[in-house]
Amino acid sequence: MDLWNQLMLGFATAATPVNLLWCLVGCAVGTAVGVLPGIGPATAVAMLLPITTQVDATASMIFFAGIYYGAMYGGSTTSILLNTPGETGSMVTAMEGNKMAKSGRAGAALATAAIGSFVAGTIATVLVTLFAPLLAKYAVRLGPPEYFCLMLLAFTTVSAVLGRSTLRGMVALFTGLAIGLIGMDQISGQARYTGGVPELLDGIEIVLVAVGLFAVSEALYAVLFEGGTTETQNKLSSVHMSRSDWRRSWPAWLRGTFIGFPFGTIPAGGSEIPTFLSYATEKKLAKDKSEFGTKGAIEGVAGPEAANNAAITATLIPLLTLGIPTSNTAAILLGAFQNYGIQPGPQLFQTSAALVWALIASLYIGNVMLLILNLPMVGLWVKLLKIPKPHLYAGILIFATVGVYGMRQSAFDLVLLYVIGLMGVVMRRYDFPTAPVVVGMILGPLAEAQMRNALSIGEGKWTVFLERPMSVTLLIIIVAVLVVPRLLKRRSTG
Amino acid sequence: MNRFGPSLGQGLVGIGVFVVGAVMAAGAFMIPSEAGYAGVGPNFLPWLVSVMLMICGAWVLWEARTGGYRNIEQPSGSERGYWHGFAWVSAGLLANAALITTIGFILSCALCFVLAVRGLRSADAQGGQATSTGTVGQIVKDLCIGFAIAAPVYWMFTKLLAINLPGLTSSGWI
C-alpha cells in the first residue's frame, strides 16, 4: 500500500538519531513554553525562526511541530495549577481543572489532561495520515480563483466571525494586510511603502511582528498594568487516576477528539470554539452535573483537552495541503516553510514527500515523548512556575532579541520590535484581536498574488470568481459565515 | 464609564487607525498602476487597505463617541498604567537596540535584562508586593542572571547553529 510505504519511509527519516533529538528538544521546549505564562508556541516558534537559515528543513519542521503541540501539553499544567491558562486553548481547562486542583485532585486532572492529549493527538495524527494525501490529491485541481476564495474565507473567519467585534477584527486584519504590503510586490517587483529604506525591501519579518505582538507587548503590558498581582499555586498531588476516573475520561477523550478535529481543519482560527463546545457537551451528558464548576468534574478537563489537541493536530491538514494557516502558530510555520523556499500546498506531497511524511511520522513519535515528559516528569515542569515574574519577562526579552536580530542582523529591527510591542499593548488594552494581524500579514501577499493571477485567467474580469463552481461555493460559504450567525443572534434576542 | 475616561483613549485609537489609512493612501498614489492582463496592478491592494483602514478608523471613533466600543471585554490589570516601570523596560529595549552592535549581544542583553527586571520589580513593589528595588547587590545579582541567560544563548546560536550575532570581540565567546 502506497500510503503505508510512504509513512514507513517517513518513520525511517524521523527516527534517525539527529531528527529524534530535534523532536525531543522541540517537545521539551514546547512543554516549557506551554507551562510558562507570557510565552506561547507562536512566540517560541517565531523566536527560533533564525535556525531556518542553518538547520535543514526536515529537522527544523520536526522541531517546530514539536514545540507547537508540546505547548498544548504544557499549557494544561499551568491551567490546572495556576488558574491562568498557559495559552488560549486551555481556557476551559483552567476553569474545571483548577476546581479539581482546589479540591485536592490536581494529580488526576493532570493525568487525564496528558493522557487525553496523547489519545487525541494520536487519533488526530492517524486522521491526518489518512486524509491529508486525499485532500492534496483533490486540491491539485484548484486554481488561483479557488485559492483566493479560500484565503478570503480564512480572513473572514479569523477577523469577522471569531472574537467579540467584527469592527475590531477588521481593524486588526487590515493592519496585518498593511504590514504585509511593505516590501517588493510579488508579481511586478514594484517596491511598496519602503520609504527608500533598503531594509524594508524584503518586507517586515514575521519574527518581528509575532515576537513584538506576543512577547514584547506581554512584558510591556505586565509592567504597565499588572504589577503586584500574585497567583496562588495549587498543590500538586500524585499523578494518578482511579478506576472511576478512567471510566469517566475515556468517552470524554473520544468525544473531545471528534469535536476538535473538524474545527482544526477549517479556517476558524484556533481551538477556543471546540474546547468550549466539548465542555458544553460533557456538561450536558454528565449524570451528575453538580461537580461542574464546584469540585471540578474530570470530564470537563478530559474532553476539552482532547478537543484542543485534536484541533491543533488537524490544523496541519489545511497548512500542508492548501498552504492555509488556521492558527497563529500555523501561520508562523507557514513562514518557516517559506524561509526554505517551500510553498505548502497540494504539490507539497509530491515535491517534498520525504519532508511531509517525516513530519507526520514525527507527530506519532512526539506524542509518545510528550506523554513521558508530562506524566512522570510533571514535577520538574512545575518548578518553572517558581521563576519570579520580573525575571521571566526580562528573560523573554533576551530570547526576543535573539529571534529578531538573528534573522536579519539589523539593529533597526530591534527598534521596530519595540514599536510593534507598543502596538500590541494598545491592542490588548482595547480588546483588539491579534491573530488577524499575523494571518493577514502572512496570507495577504499570497492572497494578492492569487487574486491577480485569477484575474489574469479571467482576462481582467471579476466574474471569473463566479464562473467556476468551486469558487462560487466558497463565496457562498463566506457570505453564510458572515450572515448566519448574525441572523441567529437577532432571532434569539428578539 | 465617564465621558472623557476610557472613551478618550478609544477615540484616539480610532484616529490613529484613520491616520495610518490616510498615510497609506498618500503612499498609494506613488505606486504605479500598470496592470497587464490582470486588470488590477500593484496599487490595487494598497488602495483597498488604506480605504478600509480609514473607514474602520472613522467607525471606531464613532463607536468611542457613542458610548464606547461594543462588546468589549474589560482589560485585565489595574486601571491606570504604571509609567515609571514602563520607562525602565522601554529603556532596556531601546538601549539594547542602540548598543548591540557596539558592546555585543551578551553585554547588551544583560543590560536590557537588568533594566527590564528593575522596571518589572518596581511595578510589583508599587502593586503592593514587598520587594526591594535598586540596591547595588540586587543590580549585580540581576546582571549575573542576565549574563547567565544571554551567554549560553549566544554560544548556542553562534557556535552550534552558526547564526550571526554580534560580539564585543571577534573571538566568538563574548
Side-chain angles (χ1 to χ4, degrees), chain A residues 54 192-193 224 228 230 418, chain B residues 24 42 82 90 124 129 161 164:
Chain A
Q54 301 297 335
R192 297 188 292 197
Y193 297 113
L224 260 178
T230 42
Y418 177 68
Chain B
M24 291 199 60
Y82 177 61
S90 300
D124 273 349
Q129 267 187 46
L161 297 168
N164 219 350

Side-chain angles (χ1 to χ4, degrees), chain A residues 128 131-140 142 147 150 265 314-324 337 343-349 356 360:
Chain A
V128 169
F131 290 115
L134 275 182
L135 186 63
K137 223 172 248 169
Y138 175 75
V140 179
L142 301 179
Y147 270 107
L150 269 174
T265 59
T315 56
L316 290 175
I317 290 188
L319 178 68
L320 296 176
T321 60
L322 299 170
I324 292 182
F337 274 113
Q343 187 58 52
Q347 282 88 11
L348 192 69
F349 278 83
V356 175
I360 292 175

